[in-house]
Structure formats: structure tokens, C-alpha cells
Amino acid sequence: MLTDEQRLRILSYSSHWQQVARSTTRVEQIEAIAVVRHLYQRFGLPSPQVIVMPSPEAAKVWMMSQMRSTWLRRSPWRWLSLLPILSLSCVAFYIGFFVGVVLFKLIFPPVIKWLKPLPDWLTFIPEYILAVTLICIMLSLPFYAMGKSIQWLMRVRAVLKNISVRRRFGEAIAPKITQDLFDSLIAKVRSSLDETLLTQVDDLLLESPKQVYNQVWDKANRVLCQYWNRQTEGFFSTLQVEQMLLPLPTYLQFCSQLDFYLDELGCKTNQQDWQLICQIARHCGWIIPMKKICILCDRPVQLKFDEQGQLHSDGTAAIEWSDGERYFFHHGLEIYEFYGRIPSSEWKPEWTITERNEEMRRILTRKIGYRRMCEELPTIQIDEWYEYTLLEIDSETIFLSNSGINALPPIDLEPIMLLKMTCPCTGQVDVMRVPSYIESAIEAVTWVERAEEQL
């Protein structure tokens, strides 16, 4: 069981590793390269070529250019692989054409001879249909054979390409580092402690640095995914981009726990491995370790969060790197730069109608609110009952007024029905959305009362 003093001290460990997770200090290249080489030495690997990139986007662009240059300039397999594709596709074309001609000569004359005794008006249609069918087969077989040969040979060419690129980068070693360094160290320390104690520590530190950093980590993964999952099918076996990156930010949560276990509870572990993990956390950003090349991505120069620790910035980027790469978030949800550059208080209500992305419409509606939509957007009064008014947003008028800006066709949205409630004493107005099938104000009031009872 933890003492009260230990419960207080554990918060200092959490605060320390939160600062590490939120760090926007630029990576010192000399120190970071030394740490990476120490990491490779720990696993008995030769020192790699270390490439330092200012952002995950820059790392993605660099890897794309290296793969293309490796295949286009340095690999003779590229030119050699084109020859069989061109030659065999031509052979397949002529084989298909020959088979089509043979079929035409074998089938068409006997059928015509069999139909000859019949009257001309009766044989015209069968002869025409047969001729057209055989000609279509004769013309399509060459192209079908050529297409199939090209498809099969392009797969062979892709294998040669992957072999060439693999020789340039080497195999991905992130899974090995994760399993043999991070997972094993954590498992050994936790296995020596009581389960009740572990539960208490986990409850206190569960969301400390992990929630903060994983949002940025997830964005870096998605940036790299745009290229890796599309262009490197079969490359590095079947590894996904999450296995290409060394997931140290995910382990910052466990770093605060390990730090507490080792200092306060006197647990024993491999100090060299623990010091190596601390050095990576303090001196490196994202790491993409491969056998011959290791790519280091610098930390962001700007990270902004809301009170709940979610990525958030109003009117500016929530994540920004030194090369200008930036992303906008609204309370943990990524938004388009068009909206992110504008303070949320200046967002226009008509965007809730004209925006074509459903998730973005949801974010805009939540921030703008139905009351402001009711006040500033054109509405159609459907029904009125005492102080209650049933309104419908006039989406068609909004689309017509914005046709010069948004030339895309209107979105087939569900009608937005709003119940406007005006207090007879204070004049305060409340607006609530109701289902689109409601046709009267009294029906809307009944629906609202039932919804409040269920809550």
C-alpha cells in the first residue's frame, strides 16, 4: 500500500514526465545521434546512417525521394524488368489475336454453310450476330492477354523494387527494440511488485503523459501512413507504419511509473537499459530505426492543449514544426486549416450547412450552437404553440446564396428542425434540435420532455 507521502511524491514524477512529453525544445543533433548509436550498439548492430528531419512530413518526403532515386537511378533491375514486360506483353497480344482469328475461321464458315439453304431474310440476323460476336472476341483477346501479362509482370517488378529498396534501408528493427528493451524492462519491474500496489500507481498515473503525447504521435503516424501503406506494399515484410516508428512517446506513461518504482520503492532493474530509455526520451523525437538508416524527426516547436490535455488552439495551429508543417485541432479533434486559422467566435453559421465533411459539420455545429444558427440563418416557421415555435433551417436558400463560393452540388442533408422556446417572463430564448419527422410544435415539446425524462 502506498503511504500518503508517496502519493504526494508520485505527482512530482508525473509532472516531470509530462514536461518531457510536452517539450518543444529542438533536438540537439550531436547528442541525439550519439544516443541512437548507443541504442544500435545495445542490440549489437553497426552504427547506421542517421538522418535528422525537421518534421514527420519532411521524413515522409525524404523517404519517398530516396526510394525513387534508389529504384530509378541506382538499380539496374528497373531497366531490365521493363524489357520482359514490353516483350511478353507484345507476344501475348499477337497470341490473343492469332487465337481470335483461328476461332473466327473455325466457327464462322461452317455456320454460314449450315445456314445457306435457308432464306436470306431468315439467315441475315444469325449471321450478323455471329459475325459481330466473333469479331469482338478476336479483337478483345489480344488486349486481355496483354493486360494479364502486364499485371503479372508488374508484380514481379514490384518484388524486384522491394528487394532494391530493402538493400538501401535495411530491415525495420522497431519491433525488436520495443520488445527487447521497453517491454522486457517494464515486465521485469512490474512482476516484482504486488498487484494492489500496481493498481494504485496505475490509477494515479494512467493518463499523465500518455494522453498528452499520443495525440501528436497519432498524427505523426497518419502523416507517414499516407505514403508507407500505399507505396510499400510488401516492403519490410508485412509491417505497418506503427511498427516502423519506435513508439517511445507511448512509453512515457510507463517511464513515470518506472521512475517511481526505482527511486521510491527500491526496485532493481538493468540500469544501463533504463538510462538508455531516459536518454532517448530526453534527447530524441520520433525515431524510425532501420538496419542501415535511422531517421530522427525533430520535436514540434509548438504544442497547445486545452484544460483537459487535448490538442487545441483557437485561431492558430495546435501542432507546428520548424519547417512550417502544422495541424489544427479543436478540443482534440483535427480540423481543416481553413477553419483553424479563424477564431472559433468568428465561425459563420452557414458553414454548418455548406461543409461537406460530416465530422467537420458536427464540430462547427457544436461550437456555433443552434441558438446562433436560428438567429443568423434563414428559417421557415413550421408551427407555433404558445411560447414554442417550430422552425426549419432553409438549407436551399443558404446553398443558393453561397453558390459563388461553393460550386459543388448541395448535400442531401436531413432537414434541420429547431424548437425555439421563449420565456414569457425574462424573454430568454433557448433553441433545441428535434427530429426531422416532427411536424408540429406541441409534438416537438412532447419529444423534448420525454428526452429529459430519460436523462
Side-chain angles (χ1 to χ4, degrees):
M1 295 293 290
L2 293 176
T3 63
D4 293 339
E5 186 177 355
Q6 288 175 331
R7 287 177 178 273
L8 292 175
R9 282 202 300 269
I10 201 173
L11 298 178
S12 64
Y13 289 91
S14 174
S15 176
H16 167 72
W17 285 101
Q18 278 193 22
Q19 292 178 3
V20 174
R22 292 174 180 259
S23 175
T24 55
T25 306
R26 299 290 301 275
V27 169
E28 294 290 340
Q29 295 191 17
I30 297 177
E31 294 180 356
I33 292 173
V35 171
V36 168
R37 288 175 176 168
H38 185 197
L39 175 64
Y40 275 66
Q41 184 181 1
R42 156 69 174 77
F43 288 91
L45 299 172
S47 295
Q49 177 188 359
V50 182
I51 308 296
V52 181
M53 287 289 140
S55 69
E57 181 69 25
K60 182 191 76 173
V61 173
W62 183 85
M63 288 187 287
M64 291 169 61
S65 64
Q66 288 297 304
M67 286 185 177
R68 289 171 180 169
S69 64
T70 299
W71 179 242
L72 296 178
R73 300 174 187 173
R74 302 180 184 180
S75 175
W77 290 107
R78 173 179 179 263
W79 304 107
L80 293 176
S81 63
L82 287 175
L83 295 177
I85 291 176
L86 295 175
S87 59
L88 291 179
S89 61
C90 292
V91 171
F93 180 86
Y94 286 110
I95 290 175
F97 185 77
F98 177 76
V99 172
V101 171
V102 171
L103 287 175
F104 187 86
K105 289 183 177 181
L106 289 177
I107 297 174
F108 191 74
V111 174
I112 296 300
K113 186 177 181 180
W114 179 76
L115 294 174
K116 193 172 183 180
L118 300 175
D120 293 341
W121 64 270
L122 190 61
T123 61
F124 173 74
I125 295 178
E127 288 178 1
Y128 178 78
I129 295 175
L130 180 61
V132 171
T133 303
L134 290 175
I135 290 173
C136 291
I137 294 175
M138 184 176 63
L139 295 177
S140 61
L141 274 178
F143 293 101
Y144 177 79
M146 184 174 65
K148 282 296 182 182
S149 63
I150 291 176
Q151 184 180 6
W152 181 79
L153 290 169
M154 288 301 291
R155 292 180 182 177
V156 176
R157 189 169 181 262
V159 172
L160 296 177
K161 178 181 178 181
N162 289 337
I163 293 174
S164 176
V165 175
R166 183 191 290 267
R167 293 177 60 188
R168 170 78 172 102
F169 286 89
E171 296 180 357
I173 60 173
K176 179 178 176 60
I177 295 175
T178 300
Q179 181 178 358
D180 296 347
L181 182 62
F182 296 113
D183 291 342
S184 62
L185 188 66
I186 293 170
K188 288 178 182 178
V189 173
R190 292 177 67 89
S191 63
S192 63
L193 296 173
D194 181 68
E195 190 66 31
T196 304
L197 184 63
L198 291 174
T199 303
Q200 289 180 333
V201 176
D202 289 344
D203 292 341
L204 291 171
L205 296 176
L206 183 61
E207 298 297 332
S208 36
K210 183 179 178 181
Q211 179 184 358
V212 169
Y213 217 108
N214 270 5
Q215 296 173 87
V216 190
W217 178 251
D218 178 68
K219 182 58 188 176
N221 281 349
R222 282 185 282 144
V223 167
L224 294 170
C225 267
Q226 294 173 4
Y227 179 73
W228 284 102
N229 289 348
R230 183 177 71 252
Q231 297 290 344
T232 59
E233 183 179 0
F235 184 50
F236 295 127
S237 301
T238 57
L239 294 178
Q240 297 297 316
V241 69
E242 290 80 2
Q243 296 172 286
M244 295 289 299
L245 278 69
L246 188 63
L248 181 70
T250 304
Y251 286 88
L252 288 176
Q253 173 198 13
F254 300 106
C255 286
S256 59
Q257 296 179 5
L258 284 172
D259 204 0
F260 177 78
Y261 295 149
L262 299 177
D263 290 351
E264 299 295 334
L265 304 182
C267 296
K268 303 296 181 182
T269 188
N270 188 325
Q271 288 297 323
Q272 293 182 348
D273 286 351
W274 169 239
Q275 291 301 322
L276 178 59
I277 292 176
C278 293
Q279 289 175 358
I280 296 173
R282 295 189 177 101
H283 300 298
C284 302
W286 287 271
I287 303 178
I288 308 174
M290 290 163 280
K291 202 166 185 178
K292 296 182 179 180
I293 294 178
C294 182
I295 302 174
L296 286 177
C297 298
D298 203 352
R299 299 188 186 98
V301 296
Q302 177 173 285
L303 284 174
K304 294 186 177 181
F305 302 90
D306 59 13
E307 296 178 354
Q308 287 73 39
Q310 296 177 321
L311 283 169
H312 172 75
S313 185
D314 199 357
T316 58
I319 313 174
E320 186 170 0
W321 278 270
S322 59
D323 62 348
E325 189 66 27
R326 57 184 182 174
Y327 302 98
F328 297 81
F329 285 79
H330 184 78
H331 296 295
L333 300 174
E334 187 176 1
I335 60 176
Y336 299 148
E337 183 176 354
F338 174 79
Y339 301 116
R341 290 187 290 104
I342 303 174
S344 58
S345 59
E346 300 178 12
W347 287 357
K348 298 181 180 179
E350 56 262 30
W351 293 345
T352 60
I353 307 298
T354 58
E355 173 55 48
R356 307 186 69 82
N357 183 278
E358 184 177 354
E359 182 64 27
M360 282 302 311
R361 286 202 306 272
R362 202 160 24 239
I363 296 172
L364 292 168
T365 302
R366 188 184 303 121
K367 177 60 182 177
I368 294 172
Y370 291 116
R371 178 175 178 177
R372 188 178 164 200
M373 291 173 61
C374 180
E375 293 173 351
E376 300 183 23
L377 294 180
T379 58
I380 302 173
Q381 182 171 326
I382 305 298
D383 188 28
E384 187 175 7
W385 182 65
Y386 291 102
E387 65 269 19
Y388 301 98
T389 307
L390 181 64
L391 304 171
E392 179 183 354
I393 300 294
D394 191 358
S395 302
E396 185 176 352
T397 301
I398 296 173
F399 273 116
L400 291 175
S401 61
N402 288 274
S403 59
I405 301 174
N406 185 8
L408 295 173
I411 309 171
D412 187 17
L413 293 175
E414 182 182 20
I416 301 177
M417 308 296 294
L418 302 177
L419 179 63
K420 181 180 179 181
M421 301 165 282
T422 306
C423 179
C425 299
T426 62
Q428 181 179 350
V429 176
D430 291 325
V431 181
M432 188 174 186
R433 184 170 182 175
V434 295
S436 58
Y437 60 80
I438 290 180
E439 300 179 351
S440 65
I442 189 171
E443 185 181 359
V445 173
T446 304
W447 183 89
V448 170
E449 291 177 349
R450 290 179 179 174
E452 291 177 349
E453 290 177 359
Q454 292 177 357
L455 295 176

